[in-house]
Amino acid sequence: MSRSPQTGGRSAAEVFDEVGARYEEVFADVPGQLAALDWLVDCLPPGARVLDVGSGTGRPAAERLARAGFDVLGIDVSAEMVRVARERVPGARFEQADVRTFEAPEGGYDAVCSFFPLLVMDQPEVADSLTRMASWVAPGGALALATVPGDIRGLDIVWMGHPVTVSSLSAPEHLRLLEAAGLEVVHHHTALYHPHGPDARPEEHLYVHARRPA
């Protein structure tokens, strides 16, 4: 496996290995994410091949999609997240992999979903990863994306008690890159979400639903 994105001098894999299942508790029931999953379930054919990038504990994304009868593969840089996901969501497959170096199979996927994994890397890597994920969407397929938008590069913060370095792109830049990669954005919106926990602060989330023409 390649070098993980660096967060506050530590790799993202190390940080998420320590966060583990607590992530699911702090970021539970995110309305925009649940709506994006409902959209995927409604627009995909039975048995669709779905890639969940940054699959975390497997919940809610991989679990919801697997229950809908899709063939789901989740990838995550954290070995601990992969371990937890395999225990909690036996109906999907999970691999430890980095979105920046992951190789999609020929033909790609009927859908790719990505809920907040691109923040813990450098800004050019965010753009490249977004383009890579878009390229994995097969003709007629779909992409569901969620992130914290902003023209941010190398910002040091404390997240869930851990020092991390985050980067992102503005909402218009996310849309531009997806459209440049041949996807049609069919819906996007921003919403404020307050994670669970006494030290959690509200976050602005960007949600994008996109399709590749058949």
Side-chain angles (χ1 to χ4, degrees), residues 6-10 119-121 152-159 162-168 201:
Q6 292 298 306
T7 61
R10 306 169 65 217
L119 296 165
V120 286
M121 57 181 69
I152 301 164
R153 185 173 189 183
L155 177 65
D156 293 326
I157 65 171
V158 175
W159 177 79
H162 298 274
V164 298
T165 303
V166 298
S167 299
S168 189
R201 297 181 179 180

Side-chain angles (χ1 to χ4, degrees), residues 105-128:
E106 185 175 355
Y109 295 90
D110 299 305
V112 176
C113 61
S114 170
F115 297 109
F116 309 103
L118 304 186
L119 296 165
V120 286
M121 57 181 69
D122 197 13
Q123 198 175 54
E125 295 175 316
V126 176
D128 181 65

Side-chain angles (χ1 to χ4, degrees), residues 4 11 29-30 39 41-42 54-55 62 77 97 120 127 135 138 140 142 148 153 179 188 206:
S4 299
S11 73
D29 303 320
V30 184
W39 174 71
V41 169
D42 289 342
S55 47
V77 296
V120 286
S135 75
V148 177
R153 185 173 189 183
E179 291 172 346
H188 66 91
L206 167 68

Side-chain angles (χ1 to χ4, degrees), residues 39 107 109-110 130-143 177-186 209-214:
W39 174 71
Y109 295 90
D110 299 305
L130 191 63
T131 300
R132 284 172 57 81
M133 290 192 303
S135 75
W136 300 335
V137 178
L143 180 143
L177 286 170
L178 293 176
E179 291 172 346
L183 299 186
E184 175 188 357
V185 175
V186 298
H209 304 174
R211 300 295 302 263
R212 183 175 297 283

Side-chain angles (χ1 to χ4, degrees), residues 61-133:
E63 182 178 62
R64 173 80 169 91
L65 296 168
R67 283 182 175 175
F70 303 138
D71 178 11
V72 182
L73 171 63
I75 61 172
D76 201 286
V77 296
S78 165
E80 175 63 12
M81 287 294 199
V82 170
R83 185 195 67 79
V84 172
R86 286 172 176 168
E87 287 186 352
R88 296 190 174 186
V89 189
R93 294 172 292 118
F94 299 92
E95 297 178 3
Q96 187 180 5
D98 188 328
V99 63
R100 299 172 305 167
T101 55
F102 177 77
E103 294 293 335
E106 185 175 355
Y109 295 90
D110 299 305
V112 176
C113 61
S114 170
F115 297 109
F116 309 103
L118 304 186
L119 296 165
V120 286
M121 57 181 69
D122 197 13
Q123 198 175 54
E125 295 175 316
V126 176
D128 181 65
S129 297
L130 191 63
T131 300
R132 284 172 57 81
M133 290 192 303

